[in-house]
Every structure is written in C-alpha cells, then in structure tokens.
Amino acid sequence: MSPLYISRVPSVYSQHQLHEDADIPAKGLVPTPYSLVSEVPGQLLPKLSYSPIAGSSTKRVRSFGNLAAHLVPDVDEPGTLFSGSDTESVGDAQVPSFVDCPPAGDGNLLDSILLAEWEDRAELGLFRYDVTACPTQLVPGPYGFIAQCNEGRASKKRPTEFRVDQVCQSWDPKKFNFQKALQQEVLFQYEAGLPSNGKLKFIAASPANDSPNLVLINVSPIEYGHVLLVPRVMSNLTQLIDQASMRLALQFCEHSNNPYFRLCYNSLGAYGTINHLHFQGYYLQAPFAVERAPTAPVPGYTGSRRFKDVRMYQLEEYPVRGLVFECGQNLPDMADFVTEVCLRLQDANIAHNLFIVDCGMRVFLYPNGFATAKAEGRVPSALLDSQVDPASFEISGHIITKRQQDYDALTQDGIWDLLSYASLSQEAFTKFCHYALDF
C-alpha cells in the first residue's frame, strides 16, 4: 500500500520557523534571548520545582451528562466557577461570556508564573498576532460549541506534505523541533526536585540540566496563555507518549489547579505535525462541548485489574467516539493507564488525540481518522475549504476558523458533520475498545 499524505500549511509554533533563513546570533558568554534551545543545558533559566507524585488529593471531577448544565461548575464549590461573569443566553442555559484574562487558580504559583511570563512575551511582540482580539462566539445549540475567527493562523507559507498513515516516525534533525526554538520563547523549566510536601518552589535563575522539561510559548496562540510543555527537550523524543511524559503532563495540570486550563496531545496522523514530543495547553473560561457530553460504561468492560482507582467510560451522543478515563485519587495510576493504552495504539498504528481536563483528573481519548479520510478523498470539499483541522481542541469543542465567512456560517449541525469524519464507525470503535483496553 502506498503511503498516505495530506498537503497543508505547517503549524507555526516558534519564531524560528518564520525566519529559518535568517542568521541566528552565535552563542555568547552570557545567554541571550536569541540563542537556540539546543544551547540551554547549563544556562540559567527560571524554574518551577515540584515533588514527584506518589498520590493525589485533587478535587473530585465535575459531573457528566447534563446538556443543560452549560456552566459545568466545580463540584466542591457549586455555582462559583463563573461568579461575577457576564453571561449570554444559549437555549435555556446561561453561558459565561469570554474574558481576556482568566484568573489564576487560588494562590496558585504555576498559573501566576505562567501567565506573568506569557504576558511578558506578548509585550515583547513574540506572538504573530493578538489572540485576545480574535472574535469568539458560542454556536447556538445544546452543546455550546465555541468558535473563534483567527485569521492570524492563516499562513502564506507553501503547503507541505505530511505523512498521515504512520504514527511512529523516526527523529529527523533536519526538520523543525523545539531545540531550534529561541530561548526567549522559554517561560520556565518544570522539574522534580523537592521533598514530598506537595508544594511548588519558584527559582528565578537555575542551571538547566542536560535535558530539561521546558514550558514555551506557542507563537501562534489559539487562546490566552497558550503554551507548549516539552518533556526532556534534548532527548530527541518523537511525538509518542511514554510513562514519564504522561505523568509530567497530568502533574502539570494538577499544579495548575485551574479548571480553565486544559492540556492536549496530538499524535502523528491526528494533526500532530511536529515530530518532537510536546503537549499544548491554554486557558478558556467556558466548558468545552465534550465536557457536557453524556457518557456510559464501555459494554463488556469490567475494569482494569491493575488500575482499580481509574474508571472508564465511552462518549455518547457526540460526533466523535472516544474513551474517557476518570481518576479517583491516584494520579500516577491514571497516567500509567493512559500510557498503557497509548502504547497499544502506537503499536497498532492508530492515530489518536488526548484531551486533559479537571486538573488532570479526566482524560478523553479519541481515535482520529480525519487525516486518513482526507488523504483518501472521503471528506467533502466544502468541509475541506473551511481549513478546520480536527485535532484535540477542535474535537473537544473549540472550533478555530481562519476565514470570517466560515466563522459567520458555523452551526452546530455543520460542526457535527465536520467532526464526524474524524470518528470511527460504531463497529470499528467496538473493535478499538476491545484492543485498546485489552478485553
């Protein structure tokens, strides 16, 4: 069988991608903002230091399955999640309007540092556009899909061929990776290194180890505070989930302690276009559509013998079929269970997306067949013309359009139709569940 490719403009995550032909200043005696991330070992960078997880006391997750509950409040503080927010009416529910700057979690160091550093990079002009000026709307309908018109994400670059039928691909140093990003795009290191007291510690200048975990800006942001979490940046990790990285991602969400912050992962073949392991996250002060979708037990599945603290469900009445992991209190078990499933999908060459919510306590997993359907010519041209690529955030309910005409014409039925091309059929999804969960 011939390899499958799609033609699309490459995602721009770093200033280096915009100026690949420009001369980058040589490394000096003192680190400069224009040095590459590849030169970061030993350099002094801000660092958030944390305790490795041995358990979790994270809050309970928010409830599923009520399409009228557009606010999706935190169950420990009912009715307070959006207190003081202006609202707009959608159906019979009240939905918060959008604000530019979501607050940090109560007394939260990670959010405070991340947002302050992100704002600093905005003032320096490192972003391609002002994302806070992009129009955003709630699409009428019971799910409340969120749409944004982001013409800044359109690019004049030539489309590039991306192979979409191979989840596991070799590291290619000639292609863009985050070692080629500029150090001015780094917000801070995120490293284990504290006793087990559960607190974070900020160090303004700490020598980076040989392969630090870095938090960088995304220079083409989708929303406020859009960042990249890059585990072990110098280890040449390809875009494949492993146990250490999954634990890192869930702990990052737990330390954010902010229900407005979500993290995602896109495998190759599921609109992950940079073959260097990374997660993306941002703040959105409204529930995603998938967070309201009803769920049900996976038919025939009686639970994991190893990970008894993690409950498993499947999405119902949603355009894309997927699995939902829900943690009790053991976050390492949650991370390890998700990793085990992802490893099976990698072995079987199944493209997939992850969407992490509720401070790491819930993870949605979507097997994604859109790129393959597109490469095989099965997606109608009218849908392709919209240039909406269903990766994790889009499947979860945040639709990013690049043209005003598409933004103005969006309906829930149109979004449902678009996303359905990413979904497996019911028969294929049943087989997928049996394989992924090994039952």
Side-chain angles (χ1 to χ4, degrees):
M1 180 181 294
S2 299
L4 288 178
Y5 292 87
I6 60 172
S7 181
R8 69 185 297 266
V9 173
S11 301
V12 178
Y13 293 112
S14 167
Q15 289 283 342
H16 184 88
Q17 291 170 276
L18 299 175
H19 310 290
E20 292 179 32
D21 298 327
D23 292 330
I24 302 298
K27 178 180 176 181
L29 295 177
V30 177
T32 69
Y34 302 103
S35 297
L36 300 181
V37 166
S38 60
E39 302 170 17
V40 85
Q43 306 284 26
L44 295 175
L45 293 175
K47 181 168 79 170
L48 275 177
S49 190
Y50 64 88
S51 304
I53 45 181
S56 175
S57 57
T58 307
K59 295 178 182 179
R60 289 172 290 138
V61 300
R62 291 171 281 171
S63 62
F64 271 40
N66 183 356
L67 295 182
H70 280 255
L71 295 183
V72 195
D74 188 313
V75 294
D76 286 339
E77 298 175 292
T80 64
L81 187 58
F82 296 108
S83 59
S85 298
D86 294 332
T87 60
E88 301 172 1
S89 178
V90 176
D92 295 326
Q94 293 294 311
V95 183
S97 61
F98 301 92
V99 298
D100 289 342
C101 303
D106 295 338
N108 186 277
L109 183 60
L110 186 149
D111 274 8
S112 298
I113 297 299
L114 188 156
L115 294 173
E117 293 292 322
W118 196 90
E119 287 278 9
D120 176 73
R121 303 312 189 274
E123 292 176 4
L124 291 173
L126 298 189
F127 298 105
R128 297 171 62 202
Y129 47 81
D130 178 8
V131 72
T132 64
C134 294
T136 296
Q137 65 172 322
L138 285 159
V139 178
Y143 281 84
F145 285 96
I146 304 160
Q148 180 192 99
C149 183
N150 193 330
E151 295 176 308
R153 285 183 72 85
S155 175
K156 295 180 180 179
K157 285 195 165 190
R158 283 188 301 109
T160 302
E161 294 295 312
F162 288 93
R163 187 167 185 180
V164 297
D165 61 344
Q166 196 171 65
V167 172
C168 303
Q169 299 181 28
S170 301
W171 176 267
D172 185 350
K174 296 179 182 178
K175 293 184 178 180
F176 176 78
N177 61 72
F178 297 107
Q179 297 169 13
K180 298 180 181 181
L182 303 180
Q183 289 186 24
Q184 65 183 350
E185 298 168 34
V186 176
L187 301 186
F188 52 86
Q189 307 171 66
Y190 180 67
E191 299 287 348
L194 290 181
S196 299
N197 58 8
K199 295 183 179 180
L200 289 168
K201 180 180 180 181
F202 179 67
I203 304 168
S206 178
N209 63 35
D210 290 342
S211 190
N213 305 315
L214 295 183
V215 178
L216 300 91
I217 61 171
N218 185 330
V219 303
S220 303
I222 291 176
E223 261 300 341
Y224 183 81
H226 193 165
V227 295
L228 305 164
L229 174 62
V230 184
R232 312 190 302 281
V233 67
M234 295 304 298
S235 298
N236 298 351
L237 301 177
T238 57
Q239 187 67 351
L240 298 170
I241 292 293
D242 61 29
Q243 182 192 61
S245 299
M246 196 68 235
R247 286 192 174 198
L248 182 80
L250 294 194
Q251 183 145 35
F252 191 84
C253 291
E254 182 185 32
H255 283 152
S256 172
N257 193 30
N258 189 329
Y260 302 137
F261 183 78
R262 287 88 163 184
L263 204 63
C264 88
Y265 162 85
N266 302 313
S267 80
L268 301 185
Y271 288 99
T273 56
I274 305 297
N275 192 22
H276 189 178
L277 183 56
H278 65 285
F279 300 83
Q280 299 188 55
Y282 58 73
Y283 298 82
L284 183 65
Q285 208 169 356
F288 279 70
V290 76
E291 294 180 88
R292 302 191 195 100
T295 62
V298 179
Y301 183 65
T302 58
S304 170
R305 294 180 181 179
R306 289 182 57 202
F307 308 113
K308 296 181 179 179
D309 192 48
V310 182
R311 296 175 294 278
M312 177 62 63
Y313 302 94
Q314 65 180 24
L315 286 171
E316 298 279 302
E317 301 174 31
Y318 200 71
V320 181
R321 294 178 175 87
L323 294 174
V324 188
F325 300 79
E326 186 174 305
C327 185
Q329 288 198 336
N330 193 318
L331 209 60
D333 268 10
M334 175 78 150
D336 294 352
F337 194 3
V338 175
T339 300
E340 183 178 274
V341 172
C342 288
L343 291 176
R344 294 180 65 81
L345 301 187
Q346 290 163 188
D347 288 343
N349 197 34
I350 299 173
H352 55 284
N353 310 92
L354 300 175
F355 184 58
I356 305 169
V357 304
D358 288 334
C359 306
M361 300 298 279
R362 267 198 292 170
V363 178
F364 297 85
L365 187 154
Y366 317 112
N368 189 336
F370 191 91
T372 298
K374 179 179 177 180
E376 294 176 345
R378 292 187 279 113
V379 182
S381 58
L383 294 179
L384 296 179
D385 288 344
S386 70
Q387 302 179 53
V388 176
D389 297 321
S392 180
F393 287 129
E394 288 79 8
I395 291 174
S396 301
H398 195 190
I399 308 301
I400 311 301
T401 65
K402 302 181 181 71
R403 302 185 305 185
Q404 186 70 41
Q405 66 202 64
D406 299 316
Y407 176 78
D408 293 339
L410 276 178
T411 64
Q412 179 172 291
D413 287 346
I415 293 170
W416 201 279
D417 189 31
L418 171 73
L419 296 183
S420 68
Y421 283 93
S423 184
L424 299 183
S425 67
Q426 183 58 66
E427 180 182 2
F429 183 69
T430 299
K431 292 179 180 178
F432 166 84
C433 290
H434 279 271
Y435 175 76
L437 301 176
D438 193 22
F439 74 100

